[in-house]
Amino acid sequence: MSIDSLPTLRAAAALTALPPALAVPPGSGAVADPDGARKIGRGAAEGLFTGGPVLVCHASLTARRLGIAPPPRSRDLLDVLELFAFVRPARFCAPSPTGLALATGQAEPKGAEAQALALREAARLLLEEMTEAAWPGREEAVTLAETLDRAGWAWGDRVLEALHAQPVRERRQRGSGLDSWSRLPEWEDEAPRGEAGSAPVDSESARIRLEKLLQASGLDEARPTQSDYAAEAAFAFSPRDEEGRPRMLLAEAGTGTGKTLGYLAPASLWAERNAGAAWVSTYTRALQRQIDRESASLWPDPAERKKKAVVRKGRENYLCLLNLQETVQAAQLGNGDLIGAALASRWAMHTRDGDMTGGDWPGWLPGLFAVSPGNQASAANLVDRRGECVHAACPHYRTCFVEKTIRASRRADLVIANHALVMTQAAFDGARTARGLKQDGETAALKRIVFDEGHHLFDAADGAFSAALSGQEAAELRRWIRGPEGRGRRGRGLEQRIGELCADSEAATQALNDAIRAAAQLPGEGVSSRIAPPSGEINPVGPIERFLVAALEQLRARTSEAATPGGGEFGMECALFPVTDPVLETARAAAQALAAVEAPLLALSRHLEDILDDEAADLEPSSRAWIEGALRGLDRRARMTLPGWRAMLQALESDVGEPDPDFVDWLSAEAAFGRIHDVALRRHWIDPTVPLEAAVVMPSHGVLVTSATLSDPLAEDPFELARLRTGAARLVEPARTLKVESPFDYAANSRVIVVTDLMKDDPRQTAAAMRELFLAAGGGGLGLFTAIRRLKAVYERLGPDLAKAGIPLHAQHVDPLEVGALVDVFRAEEDSCLLGTDAVRDGVDVPGRSLRILAFDRVPWPRPDLLHKARRERFGGKGYDDALARARMAQAFGRLIRRADDRGVFVMLDAACPTRLFAGLPPGTEVQRMGLAEAVETVGGFLSPRT
């Protein structure tokens, strides 16, 4: 035997020396070892889990299913998901044994025993992958694996054995491998692209481009409806004739039309002909990813596509390298999770763009073991959520993911953004333009916009153009100004971010100090424990907290007793007027405290503007970027947030005490786990499309709003509500409309059932109905709820019954996974079931048999809160409620049939559901009303696998 063969033999021994694998799907568990797989009871599974060594998938979720606390890391608990994150950083994997099986090229494992075997095989395949000579980045991986092994990583010795199966270049000083921030490529400046041209896109050119895109996707030809859609969409990419008169098209395209490629055809043509960027804005992250994937038809080469198509989100979505460095350094000193930080650092070296919310970051990674939230290497701790970025003053500015993405979007042909980013950026830059300042180079390019998921445009505008003075929001502002004030907390205050910029000016330094001093009057951390403690012994500190205490007293006085103790599921709310005397008195002092913060922040803004003006000829590009970045943060707070808060407080001084007809002002208290955790004074536009039109639609040249559910078939003008909810109703040049029907055969491939013999308020009956329906379908069920409380009650009863039939049940607000990961697991497991609320309904894209039955627990009427009641009065009374519920049901139905060969059943468990609410479903669907027994029989017969 040669010496050279010893590493390979050691690696082979490591692969065969794997411990047993434990899989615990909802219900019973199973274990797999070299001798095979067998089912075991809960007690045996718990003994194996706590006694180890053992392979698991998602240790915390496994512990939850065993009824024990999430475990800390140990050498005996080997989570295969962590191994996957190391071997394949920035690669997708649904966080379940099935997800690991599919990601490693295995068939979908059915049943606990098969999952246990697949889990063990996934671990073996991943370790074996590192023994291959062509596996990339071996030296880098060895360096990091040695650090992980020293930190006690359960996989450390096995990973090192596998890595050393091939020769590893020796280095005198290897380092820790943790400093990914120092090894990332830098961005480079480029000359400005300039204003986009005005060359038109005609309908015939759009059709021809669509045909080429379909051929690139492996499809023969466009469907007639898709071709017509692309031709009509070209209207939004034709030049406008007058300022303030954009070309706007409202286009409804039924599921299966192929609208994404339909609008990408004219959008890409316009970008090519005019050297500009077409923006596509979505409501959900899932659709952003889908559009990015479909852009491969335009640019098949990944390197070219990376330049041509850029996914753009807000700064708070991207990894902050300075936060990563501080997290790693703290963990090295024993204050944090070093293993989690190391795996995050490895991901940073391989990620496409640093996107931690919906990108290639494995969101399940920080929650695998019991690590306190403050010490996790999670998106919550690693992105710039608090506006603390120091921009060009950061040592990682040249490698910053956000800066790279912003610069890439300025050179791209297609920018795939989201509604919130488009609106907040446009609102901010619109305010700057009104003051005579230039727009940001990125949002100045918002001339051609496609709003996909356009039915959510109203809600997105509502969030972007609203204001809330709450304890948490005010505490966030205090932290932004003063920095972290607790022991051991990470972060940077205003002095750390711009102190150097103020050093040469006595007046600016004084303004900075005044702002820091004034911010001490704002609520600090732990505000809820002072204004609404469980003990009832309030102890407000400062004028804002005293105002919030008075607001809470008015809330309790004006709401029902049942809602008061814990705030109910949705918290509490009451109309602002008439205002109680304590609220009015404390509002004056609160407004003064806010003005004391606002004035020095404005002074700081003026000082920085003077630097840009006076030293324009001498400023280095990095210094200019630093100042402009600081200005954006100051302006957002001093010229938007604080004036908005003061305006709400000053409105209380009105002698008349009448609300502004354009707004709804109210008081609210948010509740969680039986206690109030925040109190707020809120202001929303009754019609948020007023600012939407002014900030986004009117300045644009062309706007396409598209969705599968824009029109209301029962209205005299089917697009009337869409015009009202998109800002099109007030345009001087009316928006065009288009409706393209789905090509699917819904009469043959779908069934719509209303179950007539259930008491919808009894969770036992709801659980029993879903159980029988999901069993009849053989799984693949999605249960949608309008209340979290009912979802949890049904889950407790439904889970064990489905588990006995070998059908896993997952649930939002129950499983410790975020919505996207839950949907990933549901998609991967063909026979599993999922319970969720609105976020699941809007984020599900599950073609095939994994989703074959969808059950609503009751009609998804809009919640009749104060804001909705004001809008109902403005937009059409009961018909407005009907239209919203009809659209929600149509959107849910659209989740069910995603391909021409899909078959699915839509079930409404609310017997009182009016037939008129089904009018939004596609032509060919027939609503059948029947008892539960008949519904179960119908589902079983319709969804049984065809031979």
Side-chain angles (χ1 to χ4, degrees):
M1 181 185 302
S2 67
I3 295 178
D4 292 340
S5 65
L6 288 176
T8 304
L9 290 174
R10 285 199 299 268
L15 296 180
T16 58
L18 287 171
L22 174 66
V24 186
S28 60
V31 63
D33 54 34
D35 298 325
R38 63 188 185 281
K39 269 194 174 182
I40 57 175
R42 181 168 173 171
E46 181 179 342
L48 182 58
F49 183 79
T50 56
V54 63
L55 301 175
V56 296
C57 176
H58 206 299
S60 288
L61 182 56
T62 303
R64 183 185 188 94
R65 289 174 178 168
L66 292 174
I68 57 180
R73 281 198 178 87
S74 76
R75 287 281 190 181
D76 286 338
L77 200 55
L78 293 87
D79 199 315
V80 184
L81 285 172
E82 275 198 334
L83 178 63
F84 185 92
F86 182 89
V87 179
R88 299 185 184 179
R91 300 267 293 276
F92 172 77
C93 178
S96 69
T98 299
L100 280 164
L102 296 177
T104 53
Q106 304 177 62
E108 180 190 347
K110 300 288 185 74
E113 299 98 318
Q115 288 186 18
L117 286 170
L119 182 59
R120 200 165 193 275
E121 179 65 4
R124 189 191 67 79
L125 290 170
L126 290 168
L127 289 170
E128 189 177 72
E129 191 173 314
M130 290 184 289
T131 68
E132 298 171 1
W135 194 74
R138 187 173 303 277
E139 282 76 17
E140 169 196 303
V142 166
T143 301
L144 187 63
E146 289 173 346
T147 299
L148 285 163
D149 191 42
R150 289 192 296 270
W153 190 36
W155 289 103
D157 54 350
R158 291 174 173 84
V159 165
L160 285 171
E161 289 282 7
L163 288 172
H164 282 289
Q166 300 292 336
V168 178
R169 183 162 51 101
E170 293 293 334
R171 282 191 257 170
R172 291 183 179 178
Q173 295 182 339
R174 189 179 296 279
S176 68
L178 295 167
D179 58 340
S180 57
W181 53 84
S182 67
R183 291 174 281 134
L184 293 168
E186 297 184 350
W187 52 261
E188 295 181 358
D189 275 320
E190 296 185 50
R193 193 175 192 179
E195 186 77 16
S198 298
V201 176
D202 61 275
S203 297
E204 189 58 32
S205 296
R207 291 183 192 271
I208 294 171
R209 171 55 62 90
L210 175 61
E211 289 180 6
K212 292 181 178 178
L213 295 182
L214 291 169
Q215 290 170 4
S217 300
L219 302 173
D220 294 334
E221 59 182 13
R223 294 181 287 270
T225 52
Q226 187 182 25
S227 183
D228 291 343
Y229 177 91
E232 290 295 325
F235 171 73
F237 297 93
S238 57
R240 66 181 183 181
D241 295 329
E242 294 182 38
E243 184 181 8
R245 293 193 172 195
R247 306 279 187 164
M248 190 168 187
L249 174 66
L250 306 179
E252 178 174 291
T255 305
T257 300
K259 62 181 169 59
T260 303
L261 289 182
Y263 61 65
L264 287 182
S268 60
L269 269 177
W270 181 86
E272 288 178 12
R273 293 177 178 179
N274 296 286
W279 282 59
V280 176
S281 178
T282 76
Y283 189 68
T284 61
R285 298 164 184 162
L287 187 56
Q288 275 187 289
R289 292 195 300 268
Q290 179 184 325
I291 295 170
D292 183 40
R293 288 194 299 269
E294 296 211 30
S295 69
S297 302
L298 284 163
W299 304 288
D301 178 50
E304 182 184 18
R305 185 165 72 255
K306 187 175 181 179
K307 294 180 180 179
K308 294 287 190 179
V310 174
V311 176
R312 184 73 178 89
K313 299 181 181 180
R315 183 176 292 273
E316 68 279 1
N317 292 278
Y318 296 92
L319 172 69
C320 169
L321 293 172
L322 188 55
N323 283 350
L324 176 63
Q325 181 182 5
E326 292 176 352
T327 297
V328 167
Q329 290 173 343
Q332 286 178 303
L333 296 174
N335 185 23
D337 176 22
L338 182 58
I339 293 172
L343 292 172
S345 185
R346 178 160 172 77
W347 168 80
M349 285 296 299
H350 294 82
T351 177
R352 168 183 166 174
D353 56 10
D355 181 1
M356 299 192 77
T357 58
D360 53 23
W361 164 251
W364 37 259
L365 185 59
L368 299 182
F369 294 95
V371 178
S372 66
N375 287 332
Q376 288 181 353
S378 63
N381 294 326
L382 294 178
V383 302
D384 175 33
R385 287 192 184 279
R386 301 180 183 271
E388 295 176 340
C389 180
V390 295
H391 301 281
C394 177
H396 310 304
Y397 180 65
R398 301 289 302 188
T399 54
C400 175
F401 287 114
V402 177
E403 296 298 328
K404 287 177 182 177
T405 304
I406 291 174
R407 281 159 178 77
S409 71
R410 291 172 178 167
R411 307 293 302 177
D413 283 6
L414 181 68
V415 179
I416 307 165
N418 55 67
H419 297 349
L421 172 71
V422 168
M423 291 180 200
T424 54
Q425 293 264 82
F428 179 76
D429 285 328
R432 289 174 64 85
T433 301
R435 293 169 43 232
L437 300 175
K438 72 171 186 176
Q439 285 190 340
D440 176 82
E442 186 181 26
T443 48
L446 280 171
K447 303 304 181 189
R448 307 286 174 175
I449 313 174
V450 176
F451 285 111
D452 204 339
E453 297 180 302
H455 58 286
H456 282 302
L457 204 53
F458 187 92
D459 295 328
D462 185 37
F465 299 109
S466 61
L469 170 55
S470 72
Q472 299 297 335
E473 290 291 326
E476 189 70 23
L477 177 60
R478 171 176 174 143
R479 192 181 192 281
W480 183 83
I481 296 172
R482 294 176 63 89
E485 296 174 278
R487 291 183 59 188
R489 295 189 178 272
R490 191 169 36 80
R492 296 167 289 280
L494 198 56
E495 185 174 13
Q496 287 75 34
R497 296 197 301 277
I498 68 169
E500 189 177 333
L501 295 173
C502 302
D504 295 335
S505 168
E506 184 177 343
T509 300
Q510 183 61 48
L512 176 61
N513 292 332
D514 288 346
I516 294 171
R517 184 165 49 252
Q521 293 298 302
L522 298 173
E525 293 184 14
V527 55
S528 64
S529 65
R530 294 188 294 275
I531 65 174
S535 66
E537 297 178 4
I538 61 172
N539 182 32
V541 176
I544 308 296
E545 292 190 15
R546 285 192 285 274
F547 167 75
L548 295 175
V549 167
L552 184 56
E553 290 174 354
Q554 177 171 325
L555 273 163
R556 285 174 167 151
R558 306 245 172 107
T559 54
S560 64
E561 292 184 7
T564 301
E569 183 172 349
F570 298 107
M572 295 185 289
E573 65 172 30
C574 75
L576 183 58
F577 298 101
V579 183
T580 62
D581 289 340
V583 169
L584 186 60
E585 292 166 4
T586 55
R588 298 189 186 105
Q592 293 172 357
L594 295 176
V597 177
E598 182 182 333
L601 292 182
L602 287 171
L604 287 172
S605 288
R606 288 190 290 269
H607 169 68
L608 296 183
E609 289 167 357
D610 289 343
I611 295 177
L612 289 178
D613 186 19
D614 298 341
E615 303 178 22
D618 303 321
L619 276 178
E620 294 289 333
S622 60
S623 298
R624 175 174 291 278
W626 183 8
I627 294 170
E628 289 177 344
L631 265 175
R632 290 186 71 85
L634 284 168
D635 283 357
R636 191 178 299 278
R637 290 159 180 85
R639 290 193 166 97
M640 296 179 74
T641 300
L642 282 164
W645 288 353
R646 285 198 303 107
M648 289 192 292
L649 292 169
Q650 289 166 355
L652 304 182
E653 298 282 357
S654 170
D655 293 333
V656 180
E658 291 294 330
D660 189 312
D662 290 328
F663 296 96
V664 179
D665 294 343
W666 77 98
L667 300 174
S668 71
E670 296 179 9
F673 305 109
R675 59 165 296 187
I676 293 169
H677 67 85
D678 204 7
V679 180
L681 168 61
R682 300 184 180 276
R683 165 169 282 191
H684 284 238
W685 285 84
I686 292 180
D687 184 0
T689 67
V690 173
L692 168 66
E693 179 198 20
V696 182
V697 177
M698 291 286 283
S700 301
H701 291 215
V703 179
L704 168 61
V705 180
T706 188
S707 167
T709 53
L710 278 183
S711 68
D712 184 1
L714 295 189
E716 184 176 342
D717 175 3
F719 282 91
E720 179 183 7
L721 187 60
R723 291 188 182 92
L724 289 173
R725 289 174 63 85
T726 60
R730 289 178 298 276
L731 292 179
V732 176
E733 182 171 327
R736 288 189 183 182
T737 60
L738 171 70
K739 183 170 182 176
V740 179
E741 299 290 356
S742 169
F744 295 157
D745 186 351
Y746 289 101
N749 292 337
S750 67
R751 295 290 183 269
V752 179
I753 298 172
V754 178
V755 177
T756 58
D757 55 355
L758 296 180
M759 291 181 60
K760 66 181 180 181
D761 293 325
D762 186 348
R764 293 173 298 179
Q765 292 194 32
T766 301
M770 287 192 176
R771 178 192 67 216
E772 296 305 319
L773 290 167
F774 290 172
L775 288 174
L782 174 62
L784 291 177
F785 292 79
T786 56
I788 298 171
R789 172 178 46 82
R790 289 198 301 274
L791 181 155
K792 291 181 176 179
V794 169
Y795 175 84
E796 292 299 325
R797 294 170 171 83
L798 182 59
D801 290 341
L802 290 183
K804 292 176 183 176
I807 297 176
L809 178 66
H810 310 287
Q812 184 191 10
H813 303 294
V814 175
D815 289 320
L817 294 173
E818 53 95 24
V819 171
L822 275 175
V823 173
D824 289 339
V825 172
F826 178 58
R827 185 186 298 110
E829 300 175 352
E830 186 176 85
D831 296 330
S832 67
C833 294
L834 173 64
L835 306 183
T837 55
D838 289 354
V840 171
R841 182 193 70 219
D842 295 331
V844 169
D845 182 23
V846 184
R849 280 184 57 80
S850 290
L851 174 52
R852 50 191 181 269
I853 180 170
L854 185 151
F856 261 111
D857 80 318
R858 60 179 60 193
V859 176
W861 296 113
R863 188 161 64 93
D865 55 24
L866 291 169
L867 181 59
H868 174 73
K869 286 190 283 188
R871 288 174 175 162
R872 179 169 57 194
E873 184 177 350
R874 175 77 60 91
F875 294 130
K878 294 181 180 178
Y880 182 64
D881 285 345
D882 280 3
L884 294 183
R886 195 155 40 237
R888 291 175 180 177
M889 289 168 59
Q891 276 292 319
F893 183 87
R895 304 295 95 189
L896 188 61
I897 306 293
R898 307 298 291 169
R899 301 185 311 208
D901 59 347
D902 278 356
R903 289 167 64 83
V905 180
F906 181 103
V907 182
M908 173 61 70
L909 300 178
D910 187 346
C913 180
T915 301
R916 66 181 184 273
L917 297 187
F918 293 97
L921 271 54
T925 54
E926 178 187 353
V927 180
Q928 299 175 285
R929 294 179 179 270
M930 60 186 70
L932 178 60
E934 186 180 355
V936 170
E937 183 179 354
T938 300
V939 168
F942 182 72
L943 293 180
S944 60
R946 288 174 286 185
T947 56

